[in-house]
């Protein structure tokens, strides 16, 4: 018997689990599989609607009574670095950037472990072994790159970003870096460098994942000018981060059926030439 993929993506909801960003809250995600010959079209379309990729899955927060998590992206044309960001860029001019195909290495995993043990020892990825790490990097049905940053003096790997190339920008899927060089502000620097990569490639946006008001882990994202958040079904310029609140309300989130009905899907019909 031949099995075929469904003509339209099927959406599902995860079981509630503790929120990794805000204490005392429960997290739930709406997700769909990313597969088949139209994977890139689907990824492009849903990324523009606040979804994120994790391996072969696209997901978006759909918490029952909280809507604090907001997908964030930088409009490259509107970005102007602050004095602090210019200093960060200057401190890292000695770094070398190398973009490769999505292939995991032992050096990457060693750096990943150092980063988790220092920054996120109690997080959901803390127990990830080398095989799970390899899957995170390599299991991608779309155009992805691993961007490595090495020190020019010794060539040591000090930063890595798993980055997707979308039709309208770069999506920083996951980044990690050495915890032993805090003065470099490597997390900020890698975003600054991705803005330059996008500008050079003529891509208008850099997607940063989710920004969560009230979460110290996510506070750095709001410091970038040109930032937009996906709210109320559209992208909105963030004028003042203090205008967003992580308040809960039983009507914060639309019913799942309504959410799915409002998702725009790409046209995947084959094009017939006359």
């Amino acid at each position: 018997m031949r099995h075929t993929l469904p003509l339209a993506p099927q959406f599902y909801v995860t079981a509630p689990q503790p929120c990794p960003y805000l204490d005392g809250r429960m997290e739930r995600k709406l997700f769909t599989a990313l597969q088949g010959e139209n994977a890139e079209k689907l990824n492009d379309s849903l990324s523009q609607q606040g979804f994120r990729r994790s391996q072969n899955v696209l997901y978006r927060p759909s918490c029952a009574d909280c809507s604090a998590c907001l997908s964030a992206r930088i409009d490259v044309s509107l970005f102007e670095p602050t004095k602090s960001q210019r200093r960060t860029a200057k401190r890292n001019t000695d770094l070398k950037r190398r973009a490769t195909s999505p292939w995991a290495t032992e050096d990457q995993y060693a750096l990943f472990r150092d980063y988790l043990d220092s920054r996120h020892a109690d997080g959901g990825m803390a127990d990830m072994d080398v095989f799970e790490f390899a899957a995170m990097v390599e299991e991608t049905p779309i155009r992805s790159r691993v961007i490595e940053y090495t020190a020019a003096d010794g060539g040591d790997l000090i930063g890595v970003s798993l980055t997707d190339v979308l039709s309208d920008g770069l999506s920083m899927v996951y980044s990690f870096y050495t915890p032993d060089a805090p003065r470099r502000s490597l997390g900020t620097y890698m975003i600054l460098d991705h803005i330059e990569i996008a500008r050079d490639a003529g891509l208008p946006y850099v997607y940063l994942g989710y920004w969560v008001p009230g979460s110290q882990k996510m506070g750095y994202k709001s410091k970038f000018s040109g930032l937009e958040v996906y709210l109320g079904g559209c992208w909105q310029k963030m004028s003042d981060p203090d205008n967003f609140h992580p308040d809960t309300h039983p009507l914060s989130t639309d019913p799942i059926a309504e959410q799915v009905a409002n998702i725009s899907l790409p046209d995947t019909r084959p094009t017939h030439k006359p």
Side-chain angles (χ1 to χ4, degrees):
M1 179 180 295
R2 176 178 295 177
H3 296 276
T4 59
L5 297 175
L7 295 178
Q10 306 297 300
F11 289 86
Y12 308 91
V13 180
T14 62
Q17 58 184 4
C19 176
Y21 304 118
L22 298 173
D23 292 338
R25 305 199 187 184
M26 299 300 290
E27 173 190 64
R28 188 180 67 174
K29 294 186 178 76
L30 178 69
F31 70 96
T32 188
L34 183 61
Q35 57 190 347
E37 60 182 12
N38 295 307
E40 289 205 3
K41 285 185 177 180
L42 182 64
N43 188 50
D44 285 341
S45 178
L46 294 194
S47 293
Q48 293 167 8
Q49 298 173 72
F51 280 77
R52 294 285 289 170
R53 182 182 74 83
S54 177
Q55 295 174 231
N56 298 314
V57 170
L58 289 170
Y59 68 92
R60 188 172 71 183
S62 180
C63 306
D65 60 356
C66 176
S67 56
C69 294
L70 301 172
S71 187
R73 70 184 185 185
I74 296 170
D75 184 334
V76 172
S77 67
L78 298 178
F79 173 73
E80 291 290 340
T82 64
K83 289 182 179 179
S84 175
Q85 289 166 350
R86 286 196 292 268
R87 288 194 295 268
T88 295
K90 188 174 182 179
R91 280 196 296 267
N92 290 284
T93 53
D94 63 310
L95 298 186
K96 292 184 178 181
R97 177 215 303 154
R98 185 172 75 104
T100 69
S101 58
W103 187 256
T105 67
E106 292 182 2
D107 286 345
Q108 290 170 13
Y109 182 67
L111 182 63
F112 175 73
R113 288 290 353 148
D114 287 345
Y115 173 77
L116 287 184
D117 293 343
S118 174
R119 295 295 188 95
H120 304 286
D122 58 347
M125 304 172 75
D127 296 328
M128 185 178 287
D129 62 27
V130 65
F131 302 105
E132 293 168 322
F133 173 78
M136 179 181 76
V137 173
E138 298 173 8
E139 290 184 8
T140 170
I142 63 168
R143 187 183 176 194
S144 301
R145 296 290 183 269
V146 171
I147 301 181
E148 298 182 337
Y149 297 89
T150 57
D153 52 1
D156 292 335
L157 183 66
I158 66 171
V160 175
S161 177
L162 175 59
T163 301
D164 289 346
V165 183
L166 310 179
S167 62
D168 68 342
L170 302 176
S171 177
M172 299 180 72
V173 177
Y174 193 76
S175 300
F176 52 96
Y177 47 87
T178 178
D180 299 329
R183 288 194 70 257
R184 284 187 178 273
S185 301
L186 288 167
T188 294
Y189 172 71
M190 287 194 285
I191 294 176
L192 294 172
D193 192 57
H194 274 69
I195 292 172
E196 291 304 312
I197 297 172
R199 182 178 284 126
D200 291 344
L203 296 171
Y205 300 108
V206 173
Y207 289 81
L208 300 181
Y210 295 105
W211 173 69
V212 186
S215 170
Q216 292 185 348
K217 293 180 181 179
M218 295 294 181
Y220 69 94
K221 296 181 182 181
S222 63
K223 297 179 181 179
F224 287 84
S225 61
L227 194 70
E228 299 179 346
V229 292
Y230 192 78
L231 180 64
C234 64
W235 290 96
Q236 302 181 21
K237 293 180 181 179
M238 179 187 284
S239 55
D240 185 352
D242 292 335
N243 290 336
F244 297 86
H245 304 284
D247 296 337
T248 58
H249 190 279
L251 300 180
S252 293
T253 306
D254 293 331
I256 296 299
E258 187 174 334
Q259 292 182 51
V260 174
N262 288 329
I263 294 173
S264 298
L265 297 175
D267 185 357
T268 57
R269 294 174 297 180
T271 302
H272 298 287
K273 296 182 179 180

